[in-house]
Amino acid sequence: MTEQVAEPDWVEHVIWWQIYPLGFVGAHPADPAPGADEHRFRRVADWLDYAVELGASGLALGPVFESRTHGYDTTDHYRIDPRLGDDGDFDHVVAAAHDRGLRVLLDGVFNHVGTDFPRYRDAVAGGDRSWFRGRGDEFATFEGHDGLIALNHRNDEVIDYTVDVMSHWLARGADGWRLDAAYAVPDRFWAQVLPRVRANHPDAWFVGEVIHGDYQARVKDSGFDSITQYELWKAIWSSLNDGNFHELDWALTRHNEFLDTFVPLTFIGNHDVTRIASQLSDAEHVDHALVLLLTTGGTPSIYAGDEVAYRGVKEERFGGDDAVRPEFQSPFEGVGEHGHQVFRTHQHLIGVRRRHPWLHTARTTPLSVTNRGYVYTTRNGDDALVVALNIDDEPMPLSLTGLGVERAVVVAGSGAPPADEVSDTVVPANGWLILAPR
């Protein structure tokens, strides 16, 4: 077990805006593929003012390193993908982000490599195979994908290589790493890598992609700062679709336990899942999902396009991710009034989050739980908010005194009354309220 390291101070205030660069700039899928001379990665810089307007304080990038196809089959960890541009384009985007106060998170794939990775090509040709797992003439792959060759994480050279790659890009301006498929890598590997990277970059942040399992043990044994909170993601959309807030309440109990060990990366959408506007059976409940994201403990991430109600369904087939990884042209292009309204709701709720940074490590306590109504406090020490969610087609009476709250001021809500003190109020049909107790 590694000694738990406190996350960097800046993380308390960060709200990520996540993009998948290859899709974002139209570099993949694309035939013919663009060349480095098009410098498409610079288009990302054109969106940074939009990210700031949204309220984000960090830019989380998907894969940017040379690969054969989707970015997760890396060919060269030291080279910007030529379909995006070159090192100069990377430096330009990072500098533009930092100029606006935006942190930059990179996506690192160190569980496996692509079939054009030079050491793999050498191994296939009869050279040294020690960098890779496998038996006999067979190379191990990641989850059966022939194009993703599993690295040997017991090899000291692989450990050294990973340390060097991560350190190289942190020195070049990145602020942290998302570690792809971290669940498939032995914790002891990360426990050997991360302290060495932190030795020269103590302010860097590391989040592991973990879907199932014992989150707390993974953090303790690996040395990650954070882990992707897939349990809460699933409970949010599932409870809203099924009209079953008891599922959400159970997940938030687990979430509180995680916060005793680490602060999870929270999200309602990312590049690997169906967009929240498509995942939810009732479009009115997108706001409820966002309220949950931004009033519970965690480090929130907004997947680009979700803030304007983009739709897209992930399918389990070749090219099945393309619908959730589209090209972006210019801000608000093709976005109707509904999309603009969703954007304004994001701005407002992100503003609430940033005015209450204590929410980063807040714990929730249920005050009232029914299938279609959920009222909870979110608290950190003496700071607290009361959140009421109603997904029923009828208004939901809310008696604060009956829940042990004398009076409260309405901070935000759908059809919210003026910000006067209230003791009894009503949550509109399919509506929500956030109140500050007095």
Side-chain angles (χ1 to χ4, degrees):
M1 183 179 297
T2 63
E3 181 180 349
Q4 190 63 27
V5 178
E7 67 177 15
D9 290 342
W10 58 266
V11 181
E12 177 184 3
H13 303 281
V14 78
I15 296 174
W16 297 109
W17 189 58
Q18 185 211 351
I19 71 170
Y20 173 75
L22 288 167
F24 193 91
V25 304
H28 175 78
D31 188 19
D37 58 336
E38 294 188 30
H39 303 285
R40 290 199 181 196
F41 194 43
R42 291 184 179 241
R43 295 184 189 178
V44 173
D46 298 335
W47 283 78
L48 297 179
D49 288 336
Y50 169 92
V52 171
E53 181 185 0
L54 174 67
S57 51
L59 176 68
L61 296 169
V64 297
F65 309 119
E66 183 178 13
S67 72
R68 287 192 68 180
T69 59
H70 45 56
Y72 291 99
D73 50 352
T74 315
T75 299
D76 187 345
H77 291 87
Y78 291 100
R79 186 185 186 198
I80 296 300
D81 197 306
R83 293 171 294 174
L84 296 175
D86 55 28
D87 275 11
D89 301 318
F90 175 84
D91 293 342
H92 174 76
V93 171
V94 170
H98 287 168
D99 284 348
R100 291 163 175 80
L102 297 168
R103 298 281 179 166
V104 177
L105 187 71
L106 296 182
D107 199 346
V109 189
F110 301 109
N111 174 65
H112 51 267
V113 295
T115 53
D116 283 344
F117 190 71
R119 283 188 174 270
Y120 173 70
R121 301 309 309 165
D122 291 345
V124 169
D128 180 16
R129 300 168 62 97
S130 66
W131 272 49
F132 308 99
R133 290 189 282 118
R135 291 183 178 181
D137 294 334
E138 296 294 321
F139 288 87
T141 60
F142 173 58
E143 297 183 347
H145 298 286
D146 292 342
L148 304 178
I149 312 302
L151 289 166
N152 175 14
H153 298 99
R154 294 180 180 272
N155 186 321
D156 287 342
E157 290 185 5
V158 173
I159 294 171
D160 292 344
Y161 175 82
T162 304
V163 170
D164 193 67
V165 169
M166 293 174 71
S167 300
H168 171 83
W169 293 104
L170 289 170
R172 204 164 183 118
D175 296 286
W177 286 90
R178 171 196 179 268
L179 301 168
D180 182 71
Y183 58 88
V185 178
D187 290 332
R188 65 178 178 274
F189 174 80
W190 302 119
Q192 291 172 283
V193 167
L194 296 181
R196 291 173 57 186
V197 179
R198 282 194 175 99
N200 291 319
H201 302 281
D203 208 31
W205 183 68
F206 304 95
V207 55
E209 183 198 16
V210 178
I211 300 174
H212 305 294
D214 188 339
Y215 288 0
Q216 290 166 297
R218 296 304 300 253
V219 168
K220 290 177 179 176
D221 293 344
S222 66
F224 297 139
D225 290 299
S226 183
I227 276 178
T228 50
Q229 223 305 28
Y230 270 92
E231 284 190 17
L232 184 58
W233 161 78
K234 192 272 179 184
I236 288 173
W237 63 259
S238 180
S239 63
L240 291 171
N241 278 352
D242 295 346
N244 180 16
F245 275 134
H246 298 281
E247 177 188 358
L248 175 65
D249 188 55
W250 182 89
L252 285 173
T253 299
R254 289 264 296 167
H255 190 66
N256 285 341
E257 295 171 0
F258 299 152
L259 286 161
D260 291 337
T261 304
F262 69 100
V263 182
L265 177 71
T266 52
F267 58 94
I268 53 175
N270 65 32
H271 66 296
D272 279 330
V273 301
T274 291
R275 286 191 179 273
I276 190 65
S278 294
Q279 185 73 66
L280 292 175
S281 53
D282 188 333
E284 288 189 89
H285 297 161
V286 170
D287 286 0
H288 297 74
L290 187 64
V291 170
L292 284 161
L293 174 68
L294 293 172
T295 62
T296 53
T299 303
S301 178
I302 308 291
Y303 183 47
D306 284 357
E307 76 280 355
V308 287
Y310 273 21
R311 301 182 68 85
V313 176
K314 176 186 171 70
E315 300 178 22
E316 295 302 326
R317 60 173 178 80
F318 179 77
D321 294 312
D322 295 350
V324 297
R325 302 174 179 180
E327 181 174 1
F328 284 60
Q329 300 292 344
S330 59
F332 302 109
E333 182 173 335
V335 174
E337 176 52 34
H338 175 66
H340 281 276
Q341 179 57 49
V342 172
F343 183 84
R344 289 190 290 270
T345 302
H346 273 75
Q347 283 183 306
H348 189 57
L349 287 169
I350 290 172
V352 171
R353 178 72 174 217
R354 296 189 69 170
R355 288 192 297 276
H356 301 85
W358 54 265
L359 284 166
H360 182 65
T361 52
R363 271 63 162 185
T364 59
T365 303
L367 298 178
S368 173
V369 187
T370 65
N371 285 340
R372 305 185 68 82
Y374 191 49
V375 184
Y376 61 94
T377 56
T378 182
R379 178 181 298 277
N380 190 339
D382 293 333
D383 296 307
L385 294 172
V386 174
V387 181
L389 305 175
N390 178 21
I391 57 171
D392 198 70
D393 293 333
E394 297 295 328
M396 182 177 78
L398 180 63
S399 173
L400 293 173
T401 52
L403 298 174
V405 178
E406 289 300 322
R407 300 187 68 80
V409 172
V410 175
V411 174
S414 52
D420 294 329
E421 285 194 0
V422 296
S423 56
D424 296 296
T425 186
V426 173
V427 185
N430 292 295
W432 53 274
L433 287 177
I434 301 174
L435 307 102
R438 288 291 183 263

